[in-house]
Structures are given as structure tokens and as C-alpha cells.
Amino acid sequence: QAMANTVWAYAKAGHSSPRLFDAISQTVIKKLHTFNSQSISNTVWAYATIGHSSPELFDAISQNQEIREKLTSSQEIANTVWAYAKAGHSSPKLFDAMSHKVMKQLDNLKAQNIANIVWAYAKVKGHYSFFDKLVFDALSQEALKKLHTFNS
């Protein structure tokens, strides 16, 4: 968790440290199996937010089924797909897996989760399957129910 917290703090502060992010990326890849879902989500969010490219890290996460299965909360799902889209890192396996999870989490999604998920899927529009259309339709229904909670 210390690595995830470190990169999160640097990204939150808007302070780029390429050598640190490169070193942490390599270490995270080796220790990925020890990361919990929040640490995974926070790590990819940090890399995307600060704009530090790490295709090896994003690939290691998206290609690992055990890791994809760990991401279960609506916040983790939203942050993860947002991070992949923001980083411009295409991952059909990840987006397909998250689509299924989104459908199971509809009631738990907050306005910001909905906005981030819709934005992410729109940004990676090259990966747009029939199931993604179902996700968009379900999210539009959920957004309508929760529209009073959306800010400008």
C-alpha cells in the first residue's frame, strides 16, 4: 500500500517524478499479487493523472484475471476504467470485465462514478461491443434516476 499511496500523493500534488514512477512501476509489476483492489485502482489513477506512461504496468494489471477480479467496488471500477482511458491504454479484456461488473454495481454507482465510466468508454470508442451498448443504456437509466445528485 505504501507504493500506491506514494504515487497517489505525487499525482494529487501534481508533482512529476519520472525516475520514482519508473522504479515503482517495475516493483509493482513484481509484487502485483500482493496489492489489494484499492491499491491497484489508486496506482493506475496516479499514473494517468500525472501523465506518466507505463504500458508494462497497465498491461500487467489488465492481463491478470486474478487482479481484474479484485476490482469490485463501484469507485475502483470507475477509477480504473477512467485511468486506462486517460492514459490512452487500450485493454479490451479489462473493459469487458469491467462492463460486467458495472452492470452488477448499478445501484451502488454515484453520479461521479457514472460520469467517469461513461467518459472512459466514450474515450476508448474503438473498443465498443454490443455489451458496451447495454452498459451505456443501463448507465443512462441510472443517471436519470440519480440526476438530482449530479453537479454541473
Side-chain angles (χ1 to χ4, degrees):
Q1 188 170 344
M3 285 183 276
N5 288 346
T6 300
V7 293
W8 179 90
Y10 271 81
K12 189 73 173 165
H15 186 82
S16 179
S17 183
R19 286 184 57 215
L20 177 64
F21 272 65
D22 285 343
I24 287 178
S25 174
Q26 294 307 308
T27 305
V28 169
I29 291 168
K30 292 175 189 165
K31 295 183 175 191
L32 197 54
H33 66 282
T34 67
F35 273 56
N36 66 30
S37 57
Q38 184 178 0
S39 293
I40 293 163
S41 176
N42 287 350
T43 299
V44 293
W45 177 91
Y47 277 77
T49 298
I50 203 70
H52 188 90
S53 179
S54 183
E56 300 87 6
L57 174 63
F58 279 67
D59 283 344
I61 291 168
S62 66
Q63 293 173 7
N64 186 316
Q65 182 176 351
E66 179 186 338
I67 299 302
R68 289 191 316 265
E69 288 175 2
K70 285 184 179 182
L71 299 165
T72 56
S73 83
S74 55
Q75 184 71 44
E76 294 162 356
I77 294 165
N79 285 355
T80 301
V81 296
W82 178 90
Y84 272 76
K86 173 87 170 135
H89 195 92
S90 177
S91 177
K93 280 184 180 179
L94 179 100
F95 277 86
D96 282 344
M98 295 304 108
S99 291
H100 291 278
K101 291 176 183 243
V102 165
M103 295 298 281
K104 293 177 182 174
Q105 289 283 338
L106 288 172
D107 290 340
N108 299 324
L109 294 174
K110 295 179 179 162
Q112 190 63 54
N113 301 143
I114 294 169
N116 286 354
I117 292 167
V118 171
W119 179 87
Y121 278 85
K123 182 113 169 91
V124 296
K125 60 184 171 260
H127 170 72
Y128 193 84
S129 69
F130 174 73
F131 193 75
D132 294 332
K133 182 184 178 331
L134 295 177
V135 172
F136 268 90
D137 291 345
L139 286 170
S140 69
Q141 292 303 311
E142 202 60 32
L144 284 169
K145 285 192 251 177
K146 297 175 181 174
L147 201 54
H148 66 283
T149 67
F150 279 66
N151 62 17
S152 58

